[in-house]
C-alpha cells in the first residue's frame, strides 16, 4: 500500500536517494520502447528520468505511461535511485504509481522552431516549455523587489494612481479614448499628474509600479501599447541632480540583487554576464552629445533636436569606450522636445532641467525637475499651445504651496530587455500588447 507522499521538487531529489517520493510536473519527452518505458518529467526546477520495465497484461503503470502525451500534467510516485548511465544528474525514478492529472492534446501547437509571433499566440506553453522564459519572470520579480527595497529605505510611499482619466494626461501624446457612461474617458499614459498631486498632498517621496497605456502605432522592438512603468517623484529637491542620484542608486541596488539571486542562471540561460553598475553614472549634456555625434557623421544636416535610436546607440557606445560604463544620463534637453511642466534653468531658458537614461544604447528612463510655480506653469503651457481649462485640477495642485520636486518614469520591460540581452520587448512581457495584438 502506497501512502500519499509530499511533493518533492526535482532539484531536491538527490536528498531523497533510496526513498519513495512524489514528483509533479509535465511529461517532457517520452521514449516508449518494447521492453522499457522512459519518460522525462519536468517541473519548474529541472528534469528527471522515470524508468519502467514493462510488465505486460495487468501492469497499470505500463498502461498509464502508454497513455501519456508530451506536456501532459502528471504525478509520479516512486523510488529515487542512482544510475550513473542517466544523463540527468545520474538519477532516475522507478515508478510505483502514475497519475495523469491532465492529458495534453496532441500535436502541440508550437515547438522549439516556432517563430516569436506564433509563440506569443500560445504564450502559456511557450513560457512553460522554456526555462529561460520562466527565469525572466523570476528576474523581474527580484528586480522589482530590489527597486521597492531601495525606495522604502529612502522613506518613499507606494501609491496607486487612477488609470482612468477625464482628460488626456500629457499634451500631444497618443491616448486611448473609451466610453465612460455618457462621456469620454482616457487611459492614463503616465501617472505623471497624479504623482505630482501626491507631492502637493505632502507625501514626501512617491513611487508606483503599474500599467501605462500609449496609443502609439509603433511597431518597433521596444514599443508596447500597454507596459509596466516604474514612476518616482521626490519633494524638496535641490535640483534635478537629486533625481538622477536616486535613480542610479536604486538601479545599482536592484541589479546587485538580481546578480546575487540569479547571476549564474542568467549566464547559463541567456549567456549574459550582468555587471553591477558603479555610481555615479556618467552624465553628458544634450549639446555635448550633439557635438560628439556630429563629429562622427550623425545628423549631417544638423536638423535633429532629439536623439534617434541610432544616436542613442552611438552616444552609448562612445560613453562606454570613454568611461567603461554601460549607463549614461543625457541631460538638458531642449525646450522644444520636452513637456511644458519641465523646469527651465534661469541662466538658459532654451533647455530643460531634464534627462534620459540610456543603458547599452536603449532609452530606459525619462526624468526632470518639474516646474512647481503656478504662474510659470501657465506661461509655459501657453507657449506650447496647451489649454489650461481641461487641466485645472492638475494646475490647482500648484496654487497652494507645492514644494520643488522632480521625478522619473522608467519602462520595466526595457530594463529587462537590456538586462537579459533580449531582442524585443515582446519577450520581456508575459502577454504583449501592441497595435496588432490584443490576444491572448
Amino acid at each position: 500500500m502506497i501512502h500519499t507522499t509530499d511533493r518533492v521538487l526535482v532539484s531536491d531529489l538527490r536528498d531523497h536517494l533510496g526513498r519513495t517520493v512524489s514528483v509533479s510536473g509535465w511529461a517532457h519527452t517520452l521514449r516508449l520502447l518494447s521492453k522499457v518505458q522512459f519518460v522525462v518529467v519536468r517541473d519548474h526546477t529541472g528534469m528527471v528520468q522515470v524508468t519502467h520495465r514493462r510488465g505486460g497484461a495487468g501492469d497499470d503503470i505500463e498502461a498509464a505511461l502508454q497513455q501519456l502525451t508530451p506536456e501532459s500534467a502528471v504525478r509520479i510516485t516512486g523510488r529515487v535511485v542512482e544510475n550513473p548511465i542517466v544523463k540527468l544528474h545520474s538519477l532516475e525514478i522507478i515508478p510505483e504509481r502514475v497519475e495523469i492529472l491532465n492529458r495534453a492534446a496532441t500535436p502541440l501547437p508550437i515547438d522549439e522552431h516556432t517563430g516569436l509571433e506564433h509563440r506569443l499566440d500560445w504564450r502559456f506553453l511557450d513560457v512553460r516549455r522554456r526555462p529561460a522564459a520562466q527565469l525572466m519572470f523570476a528576474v523581474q520579480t527580484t528586480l522589482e523587489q530590489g527597486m521597492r527595497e531601495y525606495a522604502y529605505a529612502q522613506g518613499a510611499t507606494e501609491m496607486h494612481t487612477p488609470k482612468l482619466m477625464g482628460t488626456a494626461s500629457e499634451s500631444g501624446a497618443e491616448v486611448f479614448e473609451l466610453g465612460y457612461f455618457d462621456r469620454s474617458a482616457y487611459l492614463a499614459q503616465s501617472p505623471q499628474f497624479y504623482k505630482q498631486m501626491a507631492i502637493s498632498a505632502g507625501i514626501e517621496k512617491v513611487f508606483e509600479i503599474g500599467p501605462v497605456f500609449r496609443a502609439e502605432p509603433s511597431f518597433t522592438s521596444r514599443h508596447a501599447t500597454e507596459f509596466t512603468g516604474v514612476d518616482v517623484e521626490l519633494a524638496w529637491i535641490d535640483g534635478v541632480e537629486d533625481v538622477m542620484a536616486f535613480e542610479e542608486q536604486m538601479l545599482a541596488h536592484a541589479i546587485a540583487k538580481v546578480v546575487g539571486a540569479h547571476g549564474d542562471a542568467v549566464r547559463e540561460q541567456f549567456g549574459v554576464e550582468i555587471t553591477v553598475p558603479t555610481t555615479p553614472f556618467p552624465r553628458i549634456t544634450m549639446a555635448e552629445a550633439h557635438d560628439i555625434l556630429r563629429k562622427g557623421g550623425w545628423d549631417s544636416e544638423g536638423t535633429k533636436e532629439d536623439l534617434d535610436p541610432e544616436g542613442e546607440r552611438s552616444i552609448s557606445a562612445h560613453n562606454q569606450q570613454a568611461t567603461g560604463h554601460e549607463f549614461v544620463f543625457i541631460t538638458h534637453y531642449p525646450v522644444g522636445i520636452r513637456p511644458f511642466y519641465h523646469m527651465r534653468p534661469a541662466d538658459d531658458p532654451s533647455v530643460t532641467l531634464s534627462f534620459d537614461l540610456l543603458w547599452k544604447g536603449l532609452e530606459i528612463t525619462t526624468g526632470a525637475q518639474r516646474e512647481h510655480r503656478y504662474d510659470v506653469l501657465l506661461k509655459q503651457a501657453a507657449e506650447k499651445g496647451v489649454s489650461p481649462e481641461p487641466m485645472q485640477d492638475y494646475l490647482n495642485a500648484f496654487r497652494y504651496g507645492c514644494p520643488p520636486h522632480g521625478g522619473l518614469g522608467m519602462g520595466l520591460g526595457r530594463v529587462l530587455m537590456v538586462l537579459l540581452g533580449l531582442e524585443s520587448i515582446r519577450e520581456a512581457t508575459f502577454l504583449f500588447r501592441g497595435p496588432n495584438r490584443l490576444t491572448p
Side-chain angles (χ1 to χ4, degrees), residues 138-311:
V139 167
Q140 175 181 295
T141 301
T142 303
L143 183 72
E144 282 189 53
Q145 187 189 358
M147 288 178 179
R148 282 195 170 91
E149 242 174 33
Y150 179 79
Y152 295 153
Q154 299 302 305
T157 301
E158 188 165 4
M159 300 293 280
H160 301 289
T161 62
K163 304 304 161 220
L164 286 169
M165 308 181 77
T167 54
S169 50
E170 299 202 21
S171 53
E174 304 278 341
V175 288
F176 288 111
E177 188 176 344
L178 65 157
Y180 192 73
F181 304 109
D182 57 346
R183 59 191 190 276
S184 282
Y186 303 89
L187 290 177
Q189 303 145 273
S190 152
Q192 183 60 44
F193 291 177
Y194 294 129
K195 63 183 180 170
Q196 287 185 265
M197 277 183 203
I199 292 295
S200 203
I203 301 171
E204 192 105 337
K205 296 183 171 98
V206 174
F207 81 98
E208 175 168 20
I209 300 179
V212 175
F213 303 90
R214 297 275 162 94
E216 295 176 279
S218 297
F219 297 88
T220 74
S221 62
R222 55 180 217 251
H223 284 91
T225 51
E226 177 182 353
F227 61 90
T228 301
V230 179
D231 273 85
V232 174
E233 206 71 23
L234 311 170
W236 306 104
I237 62 172
D238 290 324
V240 67
E241 190 56 50
D242 291 353
V243 182
M244 293 192 279
F246 186 99
E247 174 163 42
E248 65 198 2
Q249 297 287 345
M250 179 170 78
L251 278 169
H253 177 82
I255 291 167
K257 203 168 174 69
V258 169
V259 170
H262 311 288
D264 296 342
V266 167
R267 188 181 307 113
E268 191 184 318
Q269 292 288 350
F270 292 96
V272 171
E273 189 71 52
I274 303 173
T275 308
V276 180
T278 54
T279 57
F281 297 175
R283 286 124 166 83
I284 298 175
T285 67
M286 183 57 120
E288 290 168 339
H290 275 148
D291 286 348
I292 291 163
L293 289 170
R294 286 188 176 127
K295 281 182 185 137
W298 175 82
D299 184 30
S300 48
E301 258 84 280
T303 53
K304 291 179 183 169
E305 274 196 290
D306 207 348
L307 299 180
D308 55 10
E310 183 205 345

Side-chain angles (χ1 to χ4, degrees), residues 67-140:
Q67 290 292 307
L68 272 183
T69 54
E71 293 303 318
S72 290
V74 291
R75 183 184 297 122
I76 308 270
T77 303
R79 207 157 40 85
V80 184
V81 298
E82 188 135 27
N83 183 347
I85 298 168
V86 176
K87 286 202 180 93
L88 290 169
H89 315 292
S90 305
L91 288 179
E92 62 187 352
I93 292 178
I94 307 301
E96 296 163 16
R97 186 173 55 179
V98 173
E99 297 167 80
I100 300 176
L101 305 174
N102 194 331
R103 189 171 180 272
T106 182
L108 293 170
I110 58 170
D111 62 23
E112 50 279 9
H113 306 297
T114 305
L116 177 58
E117 280 306 311
H118 189 50
R119 281 198 283 118
L120 291 183
D121 293 336
W122 297 95
R123 185 64 161 153
F124 68 93
L125 264 181
D126 176 43
V127 171
R128 185 207 296 175
R129 287 163 49 90
R130 290 190 304 122
Q134 299 202 9
L135 173 60
M136 194 204 74
F137 296 110
V139 167
Q140 175 181 295

Side-chain angles (χ1 to χ4, degrees), residues 244 247-248 251 277-286 288-289 292-293 307 311-333 338 354-367 418:
M244 293 192 279
E247 174 163 42
E248 65 198 2
L251 278 169
T278 54
T279 57
F281 297 175
R283 286 124 166 83
I284 298 175
T285 67
M286 183 57 120
E288 290 168 339
I292 291 163
L293 289 170
L307 299 180
E312 290 175 349
R313 286 191 292 271
S314 300
I315 199 69
S316 280
H318 174 275
N319 170 70
Q320 188 148 10
Q321 210 172 358
T323 66
H325 213 287
E326 294 176 354
F327 288 88
V328 61
F329 282 115
I330 307 296
T331 68
H332 298 85
Y333 277 67
R338 285 305 210 215
S354 66
F355 64 87
D356 275 6
L357 178 59
L358 309 181
W359 186 11
K360 293 188 183 175
L362 186 66
E363 174 215 314
I364 58 166
T365 303
T366 296
V418 184

